[in-house]
Amino acid sequence: MKEILIHTKTDDYPILIGSHFLHKVHSFTEKYDKILFLSNDTLFSYYENWYQQEIASEKTEYFLLPDGEQYKTLDSVQKIYDFMIEKHFSRKSCILCFGGGVICDMGGFVAASFMRGIDFIQLPTSLLAQVDASIGGKVAVNHPAGKNLIGFFYNPKAVLIDVSFLDTLEVTQFQSGMAEVIKHSILCPDEKYSDFLYQNYEAIQKKEKDVLISLMKQSCHIKQYYVEKDMKEQGIRAFLNFGHTYAHALESLFQYKHISHGEAVAKGCLLDLYVSYRQGFLPEEYFEKIKYIFHLYSIDSTPILFPFDALWEAMEQDKKNAFSKINTIYLKKEGEEKKFTVQEIKKQFTEEYLKRKPHNEVKAVIDIGTNSCRLYIAERQADTHQIIRHLHQEVQIVQLGEGVNQAKILQKHAMDRTISCLKNYVSIIQAYACSSIYCFATSATRDAKNRDFFIQKVFQETGIQIQCISGETEAEYNFRGVNLAVGGEILIIDIGGGSTEFTLGKNASIIFSKSINIGAVRATELFFQNQQYSPKAISRCKKWILEQLKPLASVQKENFKVIGVAGTATTQISVSKKMKQYQRDSVHLSTISIEQLEKNLTLFLSKSLEERHKIIGLEAKRANVIIAGTIILQTILNYLQKDSMTISEYDNLMGAMIL
């Protein structure tokens, strides 16, 4: 076991580094009247047995937070306070912080503020927390305006680093911690640590204990140097925030949910190194060396380009700023000597780096359908348009096509509902600082005589420019989207409110596409007015559908797999699986049989409209058209002589995203 003793002006505390030694934690907690074991629900599900065997006692209580950076808030702190007061914790009590950086920060914040300060001990379980968050006494919570804006400098009584906990750490979390480790190698006064990371990357990736303990010791010594000289970050300790100006802005713009702290730090470090190089502070070779080490550990350091006004606004919340200037940290390297300086951000070189190829961007896509209005936001590679990660997806039932089949115009109240939805989407798009918006409208809009009025009204009230696309274009978008997830020969069926798009393709090529004017809203208005579903009306509806399907006669003989997309198809799965909350991952690529469709239809027909609103898995606003939609889907499968279909969450939204 390795020991490092941290000396500050206010406290001394040990850092112990080893493997499988946390049974010794009782020697640190004997003097306390009560112990709060603070963790998160995900981690506790792995280690509950260990907790019961090694930690639990008569004086121990545990409190679990939901897992995620988005819960690092004052609301969560309040819940911990309430629990501690209810359980009669006192100033002679102690908090054991068992978890990653969020838990280490939250537990320390609570300890610093509960009854004006009680003791806490850090038991970090993630690599990021072990090398960084648990050491130095910076404890804080996030504010919607920025990360770690509310906090204290408050030291733990001990930091116990057990590298065996890294065995169960997810790959992405290990990479996140390695990004902070690589940042430490930049802060190291020489190249020994970065050379160690380069030479031992295979052993580190395999999590060999001796190598991990050596890594941990070197990182802790670097952190020790800065903490002991500047406990309250009045001077050189700010250098530990190298790369963090851009990193914190990224985390804020991604709502603290979609990017790990380490990945954000990696992107920020390379930005600061590049600008340092462009100012003549260091050779380009050093920038390339660190970039390669990030690559070696499979850490995505690709910069993300946001509209600069939004990026500067996010950066303005950084704690290093002063006198209305956005500050960041640059490195001067003269031979083997390194010097760091806090300077106002060099916007010219920052913009130059973020625009370099390759870089990523954030795009929003909106689908205004006959029944629903959907929003999809993703990060994508700017040149190839490859989707890097999903950021936000949302659907609202706006029923824009209400009455269009009869009157051939969009009704005022339907347009108002849709515009209200789009205004909400605009606020979400702005929060994510999207670089571009692509909005397309389908059947109801293209069938309406007053579509130009609607398109202009939307632009005037929201700033969104709508592209009214043809059924064939919509089918192409669907094929592009589904093809990201499913290969081979496929027939995609997209049942909308006013039309259904059919696309037959193989691999990257479309063989056949057709838009047919059968849709859930259209069929409901034609055959099931006043929600009356008589056997005669159902029979008439099926005959009508079959008549419309005649253009598909040439497709019947093809050997394809049927793929269903959009709400009518996905709802069949959520209802059959009785999902109280929609689970996108569980729906994606699942299969629904013709028999299960019949069961769903029987269930829907057995309920009144009011009763259908309460069916588990059925969105209430879809209840008025789900029967017609299910009849359409069932009739199509029978016509194609298929006994099942695969459901895809990748659809025209994804297809439009990669345009």
Side-chain angles (χ1 to χ4, degrees), residues 20-32:
H20 295 96
F21 74 96
L22 283 193
H23 58 279
K24 296 183 179 181
V25 70
H26 289 295
S27 64
F28 290 90
T29 60
E30 290 175 347
K31 64 179 181 179
Y32 299 109

Side-chain angles (χ1 to χ4, degrees), residues 123 171 384 465 573 629:
L123 309 179
V171 173
T384 67
Q465 181 66 61
I573 297 293

Side-chain angles (χ1 to χ4, degrees), residues 592-628:
I592 190 83
S593 66
I594 197 80
E595 291 81 13
Q596 186 59 56
L597 280 178
E598 181 62 37
K599 289 181 181 177
N600 285 357
L601 182 58
T602 301
L603 172 64
F604 299 149
L605 288 169
S606 70
K607 307 288 186 183
S608 66
L609 177 59
E610 184 177 347
E611 291 169 336
R612 288 199 299 277
H613 287 161
K614 301 176 183 178
I615 293 176
I616 297 173
L618 174 60
E619 188 175 4
K621 289 185 178 180
R622 201 178 290 278
N624 64 326
V625 297
I626 192 59
I627 292 176

Side-chain angles (χ1 to χ4, degrees), residues 184-216:
H184 284 164
S185 78
I186 298 170
L187 295 171
C188 186
D190 52 41
E191 297 304 301
K192 291 180 181 177
Y193 196 18
S194 59
D195 291 343
F196 170 85
L197 298 178
Y198 177 81
Q199 294 162 3
N200 292 277
Y201 82 94
E202 289 184 350
I204 292 170
Q205 298 284 58
K206 292 176 182 177
K207 300 178 183 176
E208 293 180 9
K209 296 297 184 291
D210 290 344
V211 178
L212 286 181
I213 290 172
S214 177
L215 176 153
M216 211 70 63

Side-chain angles (χ1 to χ4, degrees), residues 334-569:
E334 300 174 357
E336 294 301 312
E337 185 180 6
K338 293 180 181 178
K339 293 181 180 179
F340 295 90
T341 177
V342 177
Q343 291 185 11
E344 184 176 5
I345 192 168
K346 302 299 180 183
K347 291 186 176 181
Q348 175 189 348
F349 296 138
T350 297
E351 291 184 14
E352 176 182 290
Y353 177 70
L354 295 178
K355 288 179 179 178
R356 279 179 24 137
K357 297 180 179 180
H359 68 261
N360 298 342
E361 62 185 7
V362 178
K363 178 181 177 181
V365 176
I366 300 173
D367 168 17
I368 303 176
T370 301
N371 195 49
S372 63
C373 185
R374 301 185 301 151
L375 169 67
Y376 174 47
I377 300 175
E379 178 190 348
R380 68 174 195 170
Q381 212 283 324
D383 289 336
T384 67
H385 296 178
Q386 175 189 358
I387 296 173
I388 305 300
R389 71 185 113 210
H390 310 295
L391 299 178
H392 184 86
Q393 200 159 352
E394 185 171 332
V395 58
Q396 290 188 30
I397 306 298
V398 296
Q399 297 178 326
L400 175 62
E402 180 185 356
V404 168
N405 191 55
Q406 290 89 1
K408 302 301 181 185
I409 63 169
L410 299 169
Q411 305 296 316
K412 181 182 183 303
H413 54 275
M415 290 190 287
D416 289 344
R417 285 195 300 264
T418 305
I419 290 172
S420 176
C421 170
L422 291 173
K423 287 179 178 177
N424 177 52
Y425 285 173
V426 166
S427 65
I428 297 170
I429 290 166
Q430 290 173 342
Y432 279 97
C434 295
S435 297
S436 60
I437 304 172
Y438 178 65
C439 177
F440 62 92
T442 57
S443 178
T445 305
R446 68 176 173 254
D447 288 350
K449 294 178 182 178
N450 60 340
R451 71 177 185 182
D452 291 340
F453 171 80
F454 172 62
I455 290 171
Q456 183 64 24
K457 185 176 176 63
V458 167
F459 182 73
Q460 289 173 346
E461 296 197 28
T462 69
I464 294 173
Q465 181 66 61
I466 296 175
Q467 301 295 324
C468 186
I469 62 173
S470 67
E472 287 69 27
T473 299
E474 185 179 0
E476 180 188 349
Y477 290 176
N478 269 318
F479 181 77
R480 288 175 177 270
V482 172
N483 206 234
L484 294 171
V486 184
E489 190 165 359
I490 55 176
L491 177 68
I492 303 165
I493 301 172
D494 177 6
I495 299 175
S499 65
T500 297
E501 278 61 54
F502 297 87
T503 313
L504 177 67
K506 188 172 184 179
N507 298 326
S509 300
I510 296 176
I511 300 169
F512 169 92
S513 71
K514 187 68 176 176
S515 178
I516 297 177
N517 282 336
I518 51 174
V521 174
R522 193 185 298 269
T524 300
E525 293 182 349
L526 283 174
F527 299 99
F528 309 118
Q529 293 182 8
N530 301 318
Q531 294 293 306
Q532 298 299 311
Y533 296 93
S534 68
K536 184 177 179 180
I538 292 173
S539 177
R540 286 175 55 233
C541 181
K542 288 182 177 180
K543 287 180 181 178
W544 171 73
I545 296 167
L546 290 170
E547 184 68 24
Q548 305 303 312
L549 293 178
K550 286 182 178 180
L552 299 181
S554 62
V555 174
Q556 281 181 302
K557 298 178 182 179
E558 297 286 339
N559 183 25
F560 52 77
K561 184 176 184 178
V562 178
I563 308 295
V565 298
T568 296

Side-chain angles (χ1 to χ4, degrees), residues 321-335:
N321 297 336
F323 301 104
S324 301
K325 295 180 180 180
I326 300 175
N327 292 326
T328 193
I329 299 164
Y330 296 122
L331 167 61
K332 293 183 178 181
K333 194 171 187 294
E334 300 174 357

